[in-house]
Amino acid sequence: MELDKNEFELIMTEIDEELSRKEIKIPGRPISALLNLFEKMNISGPLFHPFEEDLDFPVTGTNASDHVHNWYSDSYGERLNIDVSPASFPVYLKGSCYEVKLPLAIGNFLIVSSKHKIGNEKVINCVDFVQKMTNKVRANLTENEEATIQVMSITCLGVANEFKKHKTELLSSAKDDSLISCELLCGYNTNPSLSSWHSLQMAEKCIKEYIKRKNVKFSKIHDINKLRDEAIAVGYKPDSKINWDVFDFNASVRYSPDSIKMNFAVRINHEAWRVAFNSLKQIKD
């Protein structure tokens, strides 16, 4: 097999479109594409080139792996990175939203939150996981902001463990809502109102999961107060610290991007995590 630059670009575009239709996630596509290329060309070659990178043309079986990995790097950049974070949540600092991407932790760790660096491998400093935070913002964190990051990190890690333990359709959807909610506050295309809707959906789905585990049908409604009452009727004990009033909005917010302010949308997100923690921790296997 010998492919010039144009031939290689054409066949890689076709292969990638095929992988996209099969809903292969981007981080897994380079290897799949390389195997697909070998199959189409009826050749074999190394999955990873064992020597110095060779990006010269033509593309052959020997250097195909370098070309394929380079093609994906140019096409997708950081989207190739595998996100192993179990959960993420937004935090509002100095007028801006920042994503806190929690670490994948195995074993026993002390979880703290401090703007100061802590050089201890058995200590997880949640502040270290605030994404794209400048040194200036970090240096000016207040005790209350540090405490919020710590409490929310512990809460979200607890919910992430429940998501992992109870792999149901409802909770898979709730997890997706949590990711979307955070992205809509911390990503490029912000929409606090739509973020709030997804936060509400996460909370509602976790309560519905609790009700379902009691072998009782939950109402197919978007009214968290009524769902909470249904859950209470079958044994749910709401945390008295949850502020249910923040969920006082309806589906129309999805079409009004400015109806909920950024800082309040963060509060809604945090309360949704608390509802999720409170309800899922009461599910008995």
Side-chain angles (χ1 to χ4, degrees), residues 87 89 102 111 148-161 270-278 281:
F89 66 91
L102 300 176
I111 298 178
T148 296
I149 294 171
Q150 181 178 23
V151 169
M152 287 307 304
S153 295
I154 294 172
T155 299
C156 293
L157 283 172
V159 175
N161 287 335
H270 290 184
E271 291 305 320
W273 280 108
R274 293 188 178 100
V275 171
F277 185 93
N278 182 223
K281 286 296 184 180

Side-chain angles (χ1 to χ4, degrees), residues 204-270:
E204 288 183 357
K205 288 168 186 175
C206 290
I207 294 177
K208 288 177 178 179
E209 181 69 24
Y210 177 88
I211 297 171
K212 185 178 179 181
R213 293 303 183 95
K214 296 293 183 176
N215 295 317
V216 175
K217 287 186 177 181
F218 53 80
S219 297
K220 294 183 178 181
I221 56 175
H222 293 303
D223 187 327
I224 196 168
N225 292 316
K226 289 184 179 178
L227 289 169
R228 178 195 60 201
D229 292 343
E230 289 181 14
I232 291 173
V234 291
Y236 171 57
K237 295 179 175 59
D239 185 341
S240 61
K241 295 180 181 179
I242 294 174
N243 182 2
W244 299 90
D245 291 339
V246 300
F247 301 116
D248 187 21
F249 56 88
N250 56 44
S252 65
V253 298
R254 293 177 292 175
Y255 314 110
S256 304
D258 299 324
S259 63
I260 296 179
K261 300 300 182 185
M262 183 75 73
N263 59 337
F264 193 68
V266 172
R267 286 183 58 193
I268 293 170
N269 177 279
H270 290 184

Side-chain angles (χ1 to χ4, degrees), residues 177-200:
D177 282 313
S178 74
L179 296 173
I180 296 170
S181 173
C182 186
E183 174 65 23
L184 288 169
L185 292 174
C186 305
Y188 292 107
N189 298 310
T190 60
N191 189 326
S193 299
L194 187 56
S195 168
S196 299
W197 175 253
H198 282 284
S199 294
L200 175 60

Side-chain angles (χ1 to χ4, degrees), residues 79-133:
R79 296 179 68 190
L80 286 169
N81 297 334
I82 298 175
D83 185 1
V84 297
S85 174
S88 60
F89 66 91
V91 62
Y92 193 72
L93 304 171
K94 318 305 180 191
S96 298
C97 259
Y98 295 86
E99 179 184 17
V100 183
K101 192 179 286 292
L102 300 176
L104 180 63
I106 300 175
N108 295 320
F109 294 87
L110 176 64
I111 298 178
V112 302
S113 182
S114 173
K115 59 189 173 186
H116 304 292
K117 294 290 185 179
I118 299 175
N120 188 323
E121 61 182 15
K122 284 298 181 181
V123 175
I124 292 177
N125 185 359
C126 307
V127 174
D128 292 339
F129 298 95
V130 181
Q131 305 296 299
K132 301 179 182 179
M133 180 172 61

Side-chain angles (χ1 to χ4, degrees), residues 7-18 29-30 33-34 37 67-69 71-72:
E7 290 172 330
F8 177 71
E9 179 66 31
L10 179 62
I11 195 170
M12 283 304 301
T13 300
E14 292 175 350
I15 289 174
D16 190 57
E17 288 175 351
E18 183 179 344
R29 289 188 197 176
L34 182 58
L37 177 64
H67 278 280
V68 169
H69 287 287
W71 188 91
Y72 272 95

Side-chain angles (χ1 to χ4, degrees), residues 51-80:
F51 308 111
E52 185 177 351
E53 186 177 60
D54 178 7
L55 294 177
D56 291 336
F57 286 93
V59 178
T60 66
T62 303
N63 67 4
S65 60
D66 286 342
H67 278 280
V68 169
H69 287 287
N70 184 68
W71 188 91
Y72 272 95
S73 179
D74 287 345
S75 299
Y76 291 102
E78 291 185 1
R79 296 179 68 190
L80 286 169

